[in-house]
Amino acid sequence: MILTITGYSTALFSTWYFVEELRLLLDAGDGIAPTLLQKSRKIDHIFLSHADRDHVTGLLRLNELNARDGFPAVYYPTDAGSISALETFSKQFDERVKKTVWHPLGDQQQVQLRKDLFVQSARNNHVVKAQLHEVKSLGYQIYQTKNKLKSDFVDLSGEALRQLAETLGRESLTDEVRTNLLAYSGDTPAENFDQWNNTQILIHEATFLTRAELATLETNRNQHSTLEEVLAAVADLNIQTLILGHFSSRYSEEEIDEAIRRFCTAFHVTIPVHRLLPGQTHWDILRSDPIN
Ligand SMILES: [Zn+2]
């Protein structure tokens, strides 16, 4: 299955990614509803990475248009206090939004979206002032599960399997196989890349282009990744496709693409790499031409 992912992601202004087949939205920056129009009604589950305004302010319009009993379900880092304030405000601001449900999530929590699909949260260190026990910023991993016949039984006939299922129970004939369909870093410093290993599609932030640039910035601001760090780390991971977003609007399209090609060459990254350019909505990203 090739996922249909549409998104907009520019540091400071807005970030959101819509995964159509999974009826899922990752972050909810400005512009979702006016961009997706009627398609925004397909969103059942919204996973917010953190409370920075460029990741949440699209929710007001989206929810007001699409609220129905129990949906959309909004998931957010449990210690992101201004997101629970936004829940309270939005439910008072628009009566219809009372129907939406909001779920705080801690680290490594699982949310079942469908029988064969779940999302797992992963705390990161984007928010500098978060204490160790606080969860103010999350990335997400989306898994698909399938039951596969155990190797002991693959040579048996249908009838023999049916009888075994009756005596042993159907579950004992199969193993659960997990596929990491998609991972989303949220805003994060370049850290813990091992957690994204073996994922089919990684959406990672790359706010700045080089480590040298990052080193010149104030260190008390929330932490971000550089393109250089992400591509260096991805070179050692088993990933099928990389989508880069959250670039600073200080960079031109040419600067971003040149840097992606330069670092892909330097680190021997050979997988397809897509990028979301500042100020642009990218439709159906995986069916567009990769930059690498
Ligand atoms: Zn951001």
Side-chain angles (χ1 to χ4, degrees):
M1 168 172 57
I2 299 179
L3 294 173
T4 308
I5 303 176
T6 291
Y8 180 101
S9 183
T10 306
L12 208 60
F13 292 96
S14 175
T15 286
W16 54 266
Y17 294 91
F18 170 50
V19 189
E20 196 168 328
E21 291 81 358
L22 310 184
R23 306 183 70 86
L24 184 86
L25 187 72
L26 297 164
D27 276 328
D30 277 350
I32 303 159
T35 304
L36 293 179
L37 301 173
Q38 295 299 334
K39 270 199 174 183
S40 67
R41 293 178 189 274
K42 289 188 171 184
I43 296 167
D44 288 342
H45 302 279
I46 301 169
F47 287 83
L48 302 176
S49 64
H50 64 297
D52 281 352
R53 306 307 182 243
D54 50 320
H55 295 253
V56 299
T57 47
L59 269 183
L60 288 177
R61 193 77 192 103
L62 181 78
N63 281 348
E64 194 254 326
L65 287 168
N66 297 332
R68 58 213 190 275
D69 280 328
F71 290 103
V74 183
Y75 303 88
Y76 63 95
T78 185
D79 296 306
S82 47
I83 296 182
S84 41
L86 183 62
E87 175 186 3
T88 307
F89 166 75
S90 66
K91 286 180 172 178
Q92 288 169 355
F93 188 57
D94 280 311
E95 192 69 9
R96 281 167 57 83
V97 175
K98 287 211 167 92
K99 295 176 173 178
T100 58
V101 284
W102 300 55
H103 303 276
L105 288 180
D107 187 22
Q108 304 298 319
Q109 262 189 270
Q110 292 184 1
V111 176
Q112 202 75 34
L113 301 186
R114 295 192 317 225
K115 196 161 167 270
D116 66 336
L117 202 69
F118 71 91
V119 176
Q120 185 161 313
S121 60
R123 183 188 185 279
N124 68 43
N125 291 301
H126 170 59
V127 178
V128 172
K129 65 176 196 289
Q131 306 291 312
L132 263 184
H133 65 275
E134 287 182 315
V135 179
K136 285 183 177 285
S137 182
L138 292 170
Y140 295 103
Q141 179 84 256
I142 299 153
Y143 292 94
Q144 188 166 41
T145 54
K146 279 191 182 135
N147 290 324
K148 195 168 167 256
L149 195 61
K150 283 181 179 163
S151 53
D152 298 357
F153 303 129
V154 287
D155 295 329
L156 297 184
S157 69
E159 178 55 22
L161 284 174
R162 199 187 56 75
Q163 285 178 7
L164 268 179
E166 256 173 36
T167 46
L168 300 176
R170 190 165 292 279
E171 313 73 53
S172 58
L173 304 187
T174 55
D175 286 322
E176 188 187 85
V177 183
R178 284 183 183 185
T179 308
N180 302 19
L181 283 185
L182 175 69
Y184 175 51
S185 72
D187 282 11
T188 180
E191 61 180 12
N192 300 330
F193 279 93
D194 280 354
Q195 68 184 324
W196 311 129
N197 203 11
N198 301 312
T199 198
Q200 291 185 346
I201 303 154
L202 172 62
I203 302 175
H204 206 289
E205 74 123 299
T207 306
F208 305 106
L209 297 184
T210 66
R211 283 190 179 101
E213 273 174 280
L214 186 63
T216 64
L217 299 169
E218 300 168 50
T219 49
N220 63 347
R221 296 206 312 201
N222 284 346
Q223 302 291 294
H224 287 288
S225 303
T226 66
L227 176 71
E228 183 178 5
E229 293 167 301
V230 176
L231 287 173
V234 161
D236 294 328
L237 298 180
N238 173 31
I239 288 174
Q240 289 175 18
T241 303
L242 176 66
I243 298 173
L244 296 162
H246 208 270
F247 287 103
S248 163
S249 60
R250 74 188 65 188
Y251 305 118
S252 69
E253 177 173 342
E254 292 71 29
E255 285 172 315
I256 291 170
D257 287 354
E258 183 279 323
I260 292 173
R261 293 195 178 102
R262 178 158 44 91
F263 289 128
C264 282
T265 304
F267 301 124
H268 309 290
V269 173
T270 54
I271 59 169
V273 177
H274 298 267
R275 84 296 187 237
L276 280 74
L277 295 168
Q280 294 187 22
T281 301
H282 290 258
W283 291 88
D284 200 355
I285 296 163
L286 295 177
R287 288 183 186 82
S288 64
D289 290 333
I291 207 70
N292 182 54

